[in-house]
Amino acid sequence: MLLQMKGITKRYGSLTANSGVDFSLEAGEVHALVGENGAGKSTLMRILYGEEQPSEGRIYMNGTEQSFSSPSDAIAAGIGMVHQHFMLFPSFTVAENIVIGREPKAGVTFDRKAAAEQVKALSEKYGMPVDPWAKVAECPVGVQQRIEILKVLNQGAKIVIMDEPTGALTPLEVEWLLKAIKRLSEQGISFILISHKLHEVLDSSERITVLRDGRVTGTVRAKDTDALQLSSLMVGRELVKLEKKHMVPGQPILDVQQVTVRGGKGAKPLLDQVSFQVRAGEIVGVAGVSGNGQSELLQAVTGLRRIDVGKVALSGQDVTGRSPFQFREAGLAHIPEDRYMWGSAKEESVTDNGLMGHLRSFSKGGILRKSQIRQTMADWVRSFNIKTGSLDTKAGHLSGGNMQKLIVAREMAHGTPFVIAAEPTRGVDIGAMETIHEALLKRREEQGAILLVSSELTEILKLSDRILVLFEGRIAGELTAEEATEEQISILMAGGEQR
């Protein structure tokens, strides 16, 4: 056995994040680690990578007990980690990022040509093509992930931990990555995949270990299980089947007319004459390969980006050129696509993050009503099953999925006629996904209008009444829920013709 973790327990004061966890990994194996947000997956892997020290338990590599006091110790033992949020230097070249810490020298100076040649040979060896001379900032997300993988392989990793590896990838990038992991495992590299996407886990791994509340609830072979069994092991109950009621849409709430956002000098428009409506009691989904205008559209209809041509109206009120605050005042709630950049303040408490945008609702004469605030926050934590030590815990200490649930609870509580839900379930577990989907459908039944932007086609197909596909800043096609298929959407996403 290449790796064994035995009886791993990790306590933070009164909180037990891992309790007596056993985990093993064979050479050349792909082993998935799944569980709800806050189940202890990331803590267990941080212990393996030397970022945390176990309160109890032992780690063995090839039968020899190991102690990792830092990531440097883990790297020296052949363990590498690709974090969910990449640890790259955007202004450096691909080669500079991959060889960092192990730079080839010409005398006493860094030999950039030798580094580029080294990276070229490495990428060819592992079948992961990259341009050594490209700046990382200019590389798409999928290529940045390849850079991270090549970086840990260059450090001599025989075990690669990948945290939510497909969370920000397009369907084509996901397909490429899973094939690459399979190829690398055939070359003897072992992988531990932390993931919430059960269909990907079932397709790509040999074994799957499930954590719930810090304990192992099962380790199963992928070929002997299915998504239903894994879901039950993860959440301890059978999931409720999502019920999407038939609705007759009402009046337009969002009206976007001929909106154009220009690119740089001589570049194509980022948005090119985009027109659509979202009506009361309707969810309109927006699909597209990353970089085809989704982010610019979100920014244009929230007041975060200036519109060069066209008009945006909310509930009949022209809000073109208004500030984000004025968009909010006109009836907008916004679940942002990046929960950390746009949706939260990591150094502030759970309560303070929940208060964002609600200050006037919880104050009288300029004085905050603290008892009402704490009661409301406690209600949100309970109804959305947000796992937190207390309401005073820093938001940055929450798992990504629990941070997302807090943002969704906060935005849905505004009760606005229009909601933008951008990547609402990115990086959340199947139980949290169920909670968030139910909240969106409930708002739809209350005659709310929802614009759903998601890179997950299954989510788009499950929730949307109509689907718009963006390609190079234009609407390439519009499909009703009844006629839409994953194949049709994929063709439009690639610039093909609507059938």
Side-chain angles (χ1 to χ4, degrees):
M1 190 67 68
L2 176 61
L3 167 71
Q4 288 179 295
M5 303 180 76
K6 293 186 176 182
I8 300 295
T9 295
K10 179 63 181 178
R11 301 185 190 92
Y12 300 95
S14 60
L15 174 67
T16 300
N18 291 134
S19 180
V21 173
D22 292 336
F23 182 87
S24 64
L25 183 68
E26 299 172 5
E29 180 187 23
V30 181
H31 192 148
L33 187 62
V34 302
E36 289 191 282
N37 298 117
K41 308 181 297 297
S42 294
T43 301
L44 184 67
M45 290 300 101
R46 285 200 301 270
I47 289 170
L48 177 58
Y49 193 53
E51 292 179 327
E52 299 272 3
Q53 306 307 307
S55 305
E56 296 172 19
R58 290 180 167 82
I59 299 172
Y60 299 87
M61 295 275 291
N62 292 313
T64 303
E65 186 172 351
Q66 304 283 332
S67 178
F68 305 137
S69 59
S70 69
S72 297
D73 292 344
I75 290 166
I79 299 170
M81 187 165 185
V82 177
H83 293 81
Q84 183 177 2
H85 302 285
F86 302 148
M87 306 291 186
L88 298 173
F89 295 95
S91 61
F92 287 14
T93 67
V94 170
E96 287 167 343
N97 272 273
I98 290 173
V99 304
I100 196 162
R102 301 184 177 218
E103 299 91 342
K105 300 286 179 64
V108 294
T109 60
F110 174 38
D111 190 337
R112 284 180 169 77
K113 186 176 179 183
E117 290 170 354
Q118 182 180 322
V119 166
K120 185 172 183 291
L122 190 73
S123 69
E124 288 172 355
K125 176 183 177 181
Y126 291 115
M128 304 190 79
V130 293
D131 177 1
W133 297 103
K135 287 281 176 65
V136 164
E138 298 166 359
C139 297
V141 173
V143 174
Q144 290 186 29
Q145 189 175 61
R146 285 182 217 173
I147 297 164
E148 284 277 26
I149 296 170
L150 287 170
K151 182 169 70 174
V152 299
L153 293 175
N154 188 57
Q155 293 168 342
K158 296 300 179 187
I159 296 172
V160 180
I161 305 164
M162 300 194 72
D163 189 1
E164 295 295 339
T166 64
L169 302 185
T170 66
L172 287 175
E173 288 172 333
V174 170
E175 184 182 352
W176 189 93
L177 175 66
L178 297 182
K179 286 179 180 176
I181 289 173
K182 179 69 174 173
R183 285 197 311 272
L184 290 167
S185 69
E186 290 168 354
Q187 295 182 53
I189 308 296
S190 302
F191 285 86
I192 303 172
L193 305 182
I194 307 174
S195 180
H196 294 110
K197 300 181 180 180
L198 299 186
H199 63 287
E200 291 176 5
V201 161
L202 289 164
D203 288 344
S204 60
S205 59
E206 279 85 57
R207 286 190 297 156
I208 303 165
T209 290
V210 185
L211 289 182
R212 183 170 77 241
D213 295 330
R215 298 176 182 273
V216 174
T217 56
T219 297
V220 294
R221 293 213 164 266
K223 62 183 177 63
D224 298 329
T225 190
D226 57 23
L228 192 64
Q229 182 191 12
L230 291 176
S231 300
S232 181
L233 288 170
M234 284 171 62
V235 301
R237 59 182 173 81
E238 285 192 18
L239 294 175
V240 178
K241 187 176 180 182
L242 199 66
E243 184 183 353
K244 183 180 169 187
K245 294 180 180 178
H246 174 71
M247 297 285 292
V248 177
Q251 293 297 311
I253 301 297
L254 175 72
D255 189 5
V256 177
Q257 293 295 327
Q258 298 292 308
V259 165
T260 295
V261 173
R262 298 192 182 103
K265 188 176 180 180
K268 289 182 178 179
L270 300 171
L271 288 177
D272 191 1
Q273 300 181 48
V274 170
S275 297
F276 65 93
Q277 293 180 331
V278 185
R279 298 168 291 179
E282 178 182 50
I283 297 178
V284 173
V286 177
V289 175
S290 179
N292 276 268
Q294 300 95 307
S295 295
E296 290 77 14
L297 176 62
L298 289 169
Q299 292 162 15
V301 297
T302 54
L304 291 168
R305 180 182 282 266
R306 186 173 65 85
I307 295 169
D308 293 303
V309 178
K311 175 184 171 183
V312 176
L314 265 175
S315 299
Q317 181 182 346
D318 187 352
V319 289
T320 311
R322 303 282 181 87
S323 69
F325 175 76
Q326 290 170 315
F327 270 73
R328 288 264 188 184
E329 288 286 285
L332 163 72
H334 181 199
I335 302 166
E337 60 180 328
D338 188 320
R339 53 179 164 258
Y340 294 119
M341 182 178 290
W342 301 104
S344 63
K346 294 170 71 173
E347 292 302 309
E348 303 305 321
S349 69
V350 167
T351 296
D352 288 343
N353 274 268
L355 265 177
M356 291 178 181
H358 287 280
L359 286 168
R360 283 192 289 179
S361 305
F362 290 110
S363 64
K364 188 173 183 180
I367 306 297
L368 289 174
R369 293 179 285 187
K370 292 185 178 180
S371 60
Q372 183 188 1
I373 289 168
R374 293 190 74 82
Q375 182 59 56
T376 301
M377 298 304 151
D379 290 344
W380 292 356
V381 165
R382 184 174 57 255
S383 60
F384 278 81
N385 192 27
I386 300 166
K387 294 180 181 176
T388 177
S390 79
L391 296 177
D392 300 315
T393 298
K394 283 186 178 183
H397 292 170
L398 299 182
S399 70
N402 281 301
M403 184 72 253
Q404 186 73 7
K405 286 190 282 186
L406 175 61
I407 291 169
V408 172
R410 178 187 75 205
E411 295 304 312
M412 299 306 281
H414 284 293
T416 56
F418 178 55
V419 177
I420 290 180
E423 305 292 354
T425 60
R426 175 176 281 170
V428 308
D429 61 68
I430 196 163
M433 188 180 299
E434 176 189 53
T435 301
I436 292 169
H437 285 175
E438 285 177 348
L440 292 172
L441 288 177
K442 184 172 183 289
R443 178 53 51 84
R444 170 181 174 268
E445 290 168 18
E446 295 167 348
Q447 290 298 305
I450 298 169
L451 182 67
L452 170 67
V453 180
S454 176
S455 54
E456 294 294 328
L457 292 189
T458 52
E459 181 168 63
I460 291 278
L461 288 164
K462 183 189 291 187
L463 297 177
S464 303
D465 297 292
R466 288 185 293 125
I467 298 165
L468 308 174
V469 182
L470 280 179
F471 178 71
E472 294 186 345
R474 299 181 69 97
I475 294 179
E478 178 179 330
L479 302 163
T480 64
E482 292 74 26
E483 66 187 3
T485 65
E486 194 163 319
E487 181 187 9
Q488 286 174 307
I489 294 172
S490 297
I491 289 169
L492 290 169
M493 285 169 68
E497 294 292 327
Q498 185 169 348
R499 295 178 179 176

